[in-house]
DNA sequence: GAGCTTGTTGCGAATCGTTCCCATCAAGGT
DNA sequence: ACCTTGATGGGAACGATTCGCAACAAGCTC
């Protein structure tokens, strides 16, 4: 039979902290938070579970401008993000315009299995007024 | 007086190899190529020059799906890319639709200083037929 | 509950890309 | 030829992520 997934308190912990975090967080951040509250979870486990959750569609991931992998709890379908460079606040964005554009352009060039990376970074209102 | 930029054969070498490469290349790849043809250039220098060229608008950079920084010689204005996951072939893409969308969405959410990351990855015709 | 199978975990070692440090080198102006 | 100072190389240092593996434990069977 196919490999069965097991439920561990570790995965639950990751899922939970990920869910209560607003905006995107890195594996390392999540790890720190967990260890700080006394958890004995391992770093590799955090990475493994984040990867799993992402794969399962329970989480969403993207690369920050400086190449770090960030994650966010998410259940709704495909969408993109607008992230504040300063405070990390995130807005989910539906962009059918872009989706269409992506597949059209891909097709026009004879490319298949198109994947796209579309993220917006900026400075939110609150952060701007602080400066 | 202000800091003056000097011209070195190293920068010229990087610029040259970058220019003759089709598609995006990583700093490490460029370094290997250069060393293989006998150059004594240092890895750090390759990184430094790629960064400079990028900053100067002579090169274009993006992150591959697995987080590596890739570079490509380029002189024309702002544009995006469609890259073959298999062979690395690249097509430059002008997407005013996306540009407009990006700034509009940013503004609608009260964000300023919007930057966007928009890249398409797929498999080109040639690579597809090989499989 | 005991026992077994096998997905999971924790931890340290190992990668990998990239940046730092710093003594030495050399481009460009005098 | 002579300085000033940006640039270089190379090895150490880094930060993020992955590996390897023995110990562990979730879920199933009896
Ligand atoms: Zn903000
Ligand atoms: Zn999309
Ligand atoms: Zn191809
Ligand atoms: Zn653009």
């Amino acid at each position: 039979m196919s490999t069965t997934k097991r439920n561990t308190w570790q995965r639950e912990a990751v899922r939970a902290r990920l869910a209560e975090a607003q905006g995107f967080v890195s594996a390392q951040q999540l790890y720190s938070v967990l260890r700080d509250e006394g958890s004995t979870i391992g770093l590799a486990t955090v990475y493994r579970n984040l990867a799993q959750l992402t794969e399962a569609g329970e989480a969403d991931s993207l690369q920050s401008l400086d190449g770090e992998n960030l994650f966010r709890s998410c259940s709704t379908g495909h969408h993109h993000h607008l992230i504040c460079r300063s405070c990390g606040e995130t807005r989910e964005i539906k962009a059918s315009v872009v989706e269409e554009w992506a597949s059209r352009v891909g097709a026009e060039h004879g490319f298949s299995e198109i994947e796209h990376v579309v993220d917006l970074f900026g400075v939110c209102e609150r952060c701007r007024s602080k400066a």
Side-chain angles (χ1 to χ4, degrees), chain A:
Chain A
M1 60 195 78
S2 58
T3 53
T4 314
K5 284 250 194 297
R6 293 174 184 175
N7 300 315
T8 63
W9 62 265
Q10 285 93 332
R11 174 170 306 121
E12 205 40 59
V14 170
R15 207 201 310 271
R17 294 299 160 290
L18 184 62
E20 66 191 35
Q22 78 293 43
F24 282 81
V25 279
S26 69
Q28 309 267 359
Q29 290 179 308
L30 223 48
Y31 174 66
S32 299
V33 172
L34 287 165
R35 296 298 284 212
D36 286 349
E37 36 176 64
S39 174
T40 62
I41 197 172
L43 176 57
T45 301
V46 173
Y47 273 100
R48 283 187 288 240
N49 282 315
L50 283 175
Q52 262 188 219
L53 290 173
T54 301
E55 204 174 347
E58 284 189 63
D60 209 8
S61 80
L62 60 77
Q63 289 179 27
S64 68
L65 287 176
D66 54 286
E68 200 175 1
N69 268 89
L70 304 180
F71 303 83
R72 186 192 193 195
S73 171
C74 128
S75 46
T76 62
H78 177 80
H79 59 259
H80 297 274
H81 300 92
L82 169 57
I83 304 116
C84 173
R85 261 195 298 276
S86 169
C87 69
E89 190 192 328
T90 304
R91 305 289 176 82
E92 294 202 344
I93 295 176
K94 298 278 186 195
S96 44
V97 216
V98 179
E99 310 304 334
E100 286 163 27
W101 168 79
S103 53
R104 177 166 46 75
V105 171
E108 282 175 5
H109 287 261
F111 279 54
S112 61
E113 300 166 61
I114 305 287
E115 276 186 87
H116 57 273
V117 177
V118 175
D119 294 301
L120 304 184
F121 296 87
V123 179
C124 75
E125 226 154 359
R126 188 162 4 119
C127 287
R128 187 154 5 105
S129 57
K130 268 187 285 183

